Every structure is written in structure tokens, then in C-alpha cells.
């Protein structure tokens, strides 16, 4: 009996993914555990492994397909005693999942191109018939935009893309006929503009001169970032507290610790602690010192955390990850440094596992390396706080003896969810953080 390979759920919230690359082809023999494909979720590229051994008899979803539903059959394996040529679809012993809609690679084209041929081992999809009146039209976003510009009615076209989807090449080869209405009302009906958008998509594009811009469809990461931060800005009543922290003692201790770092076999230091590592540790210890601020909000309860799981904002190409340092209050600075460096590298390579960037109770966002003096961040639920770190600057300061001196000062701006952290409590946490930063030896005890 044939064996189905399905789209896996790589996180608790995942509903669909993009099949970016096949690492096998029809006719290949695979063993259990072999990596057969790469799947892109909203924030990461993950590998799909074969669950059993067999011969790849049928690839059901072509490479480059987007929006493939979780549990949809993406390929079928023939068992050892089974003729691969006899396999034409998913195993009858397993209920076929909801049919998925494969996206055409043409969505991300910068200019119209000829339709791309299907992989050699995959049967080419039949060209669809024109949609009947009132029937849903499946077309790529780029095809929709080009059709609107050319005055082509999508309902009159037959799609040559996967599953009969209309791609830009179908529009380019069509003659302008009964144009789809280009009024704001009709265009809004065709578009999938976000309910939170202040203007319909076509109204925004109408403000710019044709040919003066390039349109790039949102990828999964950008969609999730937009949805979550919009939700946070609209639903979380935030307030902000800024503390100025003197860094001179921290910078001196950091230099001493890095100078004392043991060396590996190549003569390189085994660790190099950054100012940001101290900040992560200070935030964790501040939450330990003020445990009533180590909290998350739900509609029915306040969740008090037993440990400080601190997220660290990492910029990646056209996006953002927040990998989590778990139990940061228990870890040494060198351990935090190694973890952050490792997760930051894997974040930029889109190789983080979902459980490495989901959850947590607070976060650190540091733009000091860009020379930013002070800024505020949007809280990322389920967090109830986030601290935004500015650049350390040389300023006139008054020392403990009342004398004027030059010191290095950093602005730390906290955002708090007022539903579970009131003003006095937020100020207490900020003060605890400041005390740790200005007396860094206390972080080594």
C-alpha cells in the first residue's frame, strides 16, 4: 500500500506553508528520516523528512507552491513490493485532506514572463475553463494587477497555472475586452486588503505615478509581523518609562571579563561578552527581583511566570525574529552570549525552530549600535513588557561625591501592558534594571 507524505504542522498556529524546494524526484528511493523537501512557514524554512522507506511514486504538490494546507498530501511513496507506476494519487486507506491551492511562482515576478513548465516528473495541470458568473476566480496577485492595468476581465480567461490558476502570462496574452470595473468599490472587492488598512489597495496605488514603483507581494513573515503588531497596537494599552543608566562600571567589567576569557585550540577566546548580553541578564534578574511584573495577560487570568524567558530582537532580511533565552536569570553571561550568537545566526538563515522564538515573557530591542539615542517598541503578546535600548553616549554627569565628570549614559525605555503592570510596578522594575546595569558585579553573584 502506498504511503502519503503530508504537509507537517511545524508550529501550533501553522495552518499552511509554502513548499519551496523538492530534494528528491519521482523514482528516487528514500529511507525513513531522509530529508525530501524544504517547507517555508511564516518565519522559518524547515526540512520535511520521509516517515518510511519507499520509492517516490508521485509528487502531488509542485516545487514553489504557496498556501499548502497542513496535512495536505504533498507526495506519495510506493512500498518495496509496489509498482510506482501504478500509484496515481494519495493512499485510499487515508482520507484525502482538503485540496490545497498551489501558488504560481509568477507572483513574485518583476516583469511578465512566459509560464513556467511543471517539473518533468509531474503531470502538467490541465488549463482551466473560464469562470462562470459569480464563481470564485483563482489568480495570482500580479495577474490581478496587470489585468486591471490592461483592462482585462479575469472571468473571461482560462488559467494555465497550477490547478487552473490564472498567472500573469495568461493576462499578457489576452486582448483587452470587457474590463473589470476599476472603481474603488470594484477593486476593493477583488483585493484582499486588510480590514485595518486606512485605504484600499487600489486607492494607495492610484497616488503614485505608473512605472515609478515596483510592487513586492508580502511574504509570510511580513504578514505575521503586520498582523501581530497591528493587533498589539490596537488592543494593548501601553505606557512608557525611560531610565538613564550609567555604563562606565559595566564597560570596565566587560573588558576585564573578555580579557580573561580562556582560549580554544586555535588561540581564539571561547567567549566575547557584549553589552547586550549584560542587558538581557539585567532584565531577567530585574524580573526575578520584581516577580509581580513577570506576568502575561489573558482575558480571564494574569499568568505569573516562574522564570524569566527573555526575547532578543534580531533583524533579518525584510523581517524580525525574537529568539528566546530561556531561564535567563539562571544563566551566566558567557552562556547567554553563546546562545544569543547561535540563535541570531540561525534566525538570519531562517533555521530557528518555532519553539525557539515563540513564547517568552519580555523582550529586549537594542538599536544603540545604529546610533539611535532613544526609541519605544511595540509589545509583542504574550509579553507584557519590552525594553528599548539606545546608544551609550559620553555626557557630563555628577558622580557620587557631587563632582562633575564625564560618563557614558544609555537610555532604556520600557513599554508596559497597563492591564497587568501598573505604573508604580513598571517604575519599580525599571529601577531594578537600572540598579543592575550600574552595579554589574551584582549580576555575577
Amino acid at each position: 500500500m502506498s504511503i502519503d507524505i503530508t504537509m507537517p504542522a511545524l508550529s501550533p498556529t501553522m495552518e499552511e506553508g509554502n513548499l519551496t524546494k523538492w530534494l528528491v524526484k519521482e523514482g528516487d528511493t528514500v529511507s525513513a528520516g531522509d530529508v525530501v523537501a524544504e517547507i517555508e512557514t511564516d518565519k522559518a524554512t524547515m526540512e520535511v523528512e520521509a516517515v518510511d522507506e519507499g520509492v517516490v511514486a508521485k509528487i502531488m504538490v509542485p516545487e514553489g507552491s504557496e498556501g499548502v494546507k497542513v496535512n495536505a498530501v504533498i507526495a506519495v511513496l510506493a512500498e518495496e513490493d509496489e509498482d510506482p507506476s501504478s500509484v496515481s494519487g494519495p493512499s485510499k486507506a487515508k482520507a484525502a485532506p482538503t485540496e490545497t491551492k498551489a501558488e504560481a511562482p509568477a507572483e513574485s515576478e518583476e516583469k511578465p514572463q512566459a509560464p513556467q513548465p511543471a517539473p518533468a516528473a509531474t503531470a502538467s495541470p490541465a488549463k482551466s475553463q473560464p469562470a462562470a458568473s459569480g464563481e470564485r476566480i483563482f489568480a495570482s496577485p500580479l495577474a490581478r494587477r496587470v489585468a486591471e492595468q490592461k483592462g482585462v476581465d479575469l472571468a473571461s480567461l482560462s488559467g494555465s497555472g497550477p490547478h487552473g490558476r490564472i498567472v500573469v502570462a495568461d493576462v499578457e496574452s489576452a486582448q483587452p475586452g470587457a474590463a473589470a470595473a476599476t472603481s474603488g468599490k470594484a477593486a476593493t472587492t477583488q483585493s484582499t486588503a486588510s480590514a485595518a488598512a486606512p485605504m484600499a489597495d487600489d486607492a494607495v496605488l492610484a497616488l503614485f505615478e505608473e512605472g515609478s514603483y515596483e510592487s513586492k507581494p508580502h511574504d509570510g513573515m511580513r504578514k505575521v509581523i503586520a498582523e501581530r503588531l497591528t493587533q498589539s497596537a490596537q488592543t494593548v494599552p501601553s505606557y512608557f518609562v525611560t531610565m538613564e543608566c550609567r555604563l562606565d562600571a559595566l564597560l570596565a567589567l566587560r573588558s576585564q571579563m573578555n580579557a580573561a576569557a580562556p582560549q580554544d585550540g586555535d588561540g581564539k577566546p571561547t567567549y566575547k561578552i557584549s553589552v547586550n548580553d549584560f542587558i538581557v541578564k539585567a532584565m531577567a534578574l530585574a524580573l526575578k527581583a520584581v516577580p509581580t511584573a513577570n506576568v502575561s495577560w489573558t482575558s480571564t487570568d494574569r499568568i505569573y511566570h516562574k522564570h524569566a524567558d527573555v526575547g532578543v530582537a534580531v533583524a533579518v532580511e525584510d523581517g524580525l525574529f525574537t529568539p528566546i533565552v530561556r531561564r535567563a536569570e539562571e544563566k551566566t553571561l558567557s552562556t547567554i552570549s553563546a546562545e544569543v550568537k547561535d540563535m541570531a545566526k540561525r534566525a538570519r538563515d531562517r533555521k530557528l525552530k518555532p519553539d525557539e522564538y515563540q513564547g517568552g515573557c519580555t523582550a529586549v530591542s537594542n538599536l544603540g549600535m545604529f546610533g539611535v539615542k532613544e526609541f519605544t517598541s511595540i509589545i509583542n503578546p504574550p509579553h507584557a513588557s519590552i525594553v528599548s535600548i539606545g546608544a551609550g553616549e559620553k555626557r557630563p554627569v555628577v558622580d557620587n561625591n557631587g563632582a562633575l565628570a564625564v560618563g557614558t549614559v544609555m537610555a532604556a525605555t520600557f513599554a508596559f501592558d497597563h492591564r497587568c503592570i501598573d505604573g508604580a510596578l513598571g517604575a519599580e522594575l525599571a529601577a531594578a534594571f537600572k540598579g543592575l546595569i550600574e552595579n554589574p558585579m551584582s549580576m555575577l553573584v
Side-chain angles (χ1 to χ4, degrees), residues 351-369:
K351 296 298 183 182
L352 279 182
K353 299 176 182 178
D355 60 6
E356 292 180 306
Y357 59 82
Q358 293 178 344
C361 53
T362 191
V364 171
S365 181
N366 191 342
L367 296 181
M369 66 286 293

Side-chain angles (χ1 to χ4, degrees), residues 42-127:
D42 52 1
K43 282 198 168 186
T45 298
M46 309 290 286
E47 295 175 338
V48 177
E49 297 180 353
V51 295
D52 209 335
E53 62 181 16
V55 176
V56 180
K58 187 73 173 177
I59 290 178
M60 305 299 299
V61 177
E63 186 175 282
S65 297
E66 299 181 358
V68 184
K69 299 295 184 184
V70 167
N71 292 329
V73 177
I74 58 176
V76 183
L77 297 181
E79 293 185 313
E80 183 177 357
D81 57 350
E82 187 176 9
D83 181 6
S85 63
S86 67
V87 177
S88 59
S91 168
K92 293 182 180 179
K94 179 178 179 180
T98 303
E99 182 180 354
T100 62
K101 172 167 64 68
E103 300 281 336
E107 277 192 38
S108 58
E109 296 169 348
E110 296 184 4
K111 59 182 180 179
Q113 297 180 355
Q116 299 297 315
T122 306
S124 300
K127 192 165 182 174

Side-chain angles (χ1 to χ4, degrees), residues 47-377:
E47 295 175 338
V48 177
E49 297 180 353
V51 295
D52 209 335
E53 62 181 16
V55 176
V56 180
K58 187 73 173 177
I59 290 178
M60 305 299 299
V61 177
E63 186 175 282
S65 297
E66 299 181 358
V68 184
K69 299 295 184 184
V70 167
N71 292 329
V73 177
I74 58 176
V76 183
L77 297 181
E79 293 185 313
E80 183 177 357
D81 57 350
E82 187 176 9
D83 181 6
S85 63
S86 67
V87 177
S88 59
S91 168
K92 293 182 180 179
K94 179 178 179 180
T98 303
E99 182 180 354
T100 62
K101 172 167 64 68
E103 300 281 336
E107 277 192 38
S108 58
E109 296 169 348
E110 296 184 4
K111 59 182 180 179
Q113 297 180 355
Q116 299 297 315
T122 306
S124 300
K127 192 165 182 174
S128 70
Q129 297 299 316
S133 177
E135 185 178 342
R136 183 180 176 186
I137 299 173
F138 292 97
S140 72
L142 181 58
R144 291 185 183 276
R145 288 193 290 273
V146 174
E148 183 176 339
Q149 293 168 3
K150 292 187 62 176
V152 174
D153 185 357
L154 289 174
S156 67
L157 301 183
S158 299
S160 61
H163 299 279
R165 182 181 176 88
I166 297 172
V167 296
V168 69
D170 301 323
V171 180
E172 288 294 333
S173 62
Q175 295 297 321
T182 57
S183 66
K185 181 177 179 181
T188 303
T189 300
Q190 284 193 351
S191 72
T192 56
S194 168
M199 298 176 65
D201 292 348
D202 64 314
V204 174
L205 295 177
L207 299 174
F208 309 116
E209 181 181 353
E210 186 175 350
S212 67
Y213 61 87
E214 178 184 337
S215 180
K216 179 181 179 182
H218 304 310
D219 60 11
M221 177 185 292
R222 183 51 52 189
K223 290 178 182 177
V224 170
I225 290 173
E227 290 170 1
R228 289 184 61 81
L229 296 186
T230 298
Q231 180 186 27
S232 176
Q234 292 176 343
T235 63
V236 178
S238 304
Y239 68 95
F240 305 96
V241 173
T242 299
M243 282 285 186
E244 289 192 340
C245 309
R246 190 167 174 181
L247 293 178
D248 299 279
L250 186 152
L251 293 174
L253 178 60
R254 171 178 174 263
S255 295
Q256 294 172 18
M257 294 181 67
N258 286 337
Q263 296 182 342
D264 59 18
D266 297 327
K268 297 180 180 179
T270 54
Y271 62 79
K272 185 176 182 181
I273 298 169
S274 69
V275 172
N276 204 58
D277 299 328
F278 277 96
I279 290 168
V280 172
K281 179 76 170 182
M283 191 63 176
L285 291 177
L287 288 170
K288 181 180 179 181
V290 189
T292 48
N294 192 12
V295 65
S296 294
W297 175 267
T298 72
S299 61
T300 58
D301 298 279
R302 277 180 290 178
I303 310 300
Y304 291 92
H305 302 285
K306 296 179 180 179
H307 298 283
D309 297 335
V310 183
V312 182
V314 176
V316 300
E317 184 178 358
D318 198 29
L320 180 73
F321 274 96
T322 308
I324 310 294
V325 180
R326 309 284 178 181
R327 299 191 176 201
E329 81 282 4
E330 299 178 349
K331 294 178 177 176
T332 64
L333 286 162
S334 59
T335 300
I336 291 173
S337 178
E339 282 192 19
V340 171
K341 286 182 175 65
D342 171 63
M343 289 192 291
K345 181 182 184 302
R346 289 189 290 119
R348 296 185 184 100
D349 295 336
R350 302 285 186 96
K351 296 298 183 182
L352 279 182
K353 299 176 182 178
D355 60 6
E356 292 180 306
Y357 59 82
Q358 293 178 344
C361 53
T362 191
V364 171
S365 181
N366 191 342
L367 296 181
M369 66 286 293
F370 298 104
V372 175
K373 182 177 180 179
E374 184 179 333
F375 69 104
T376 59
S377 298

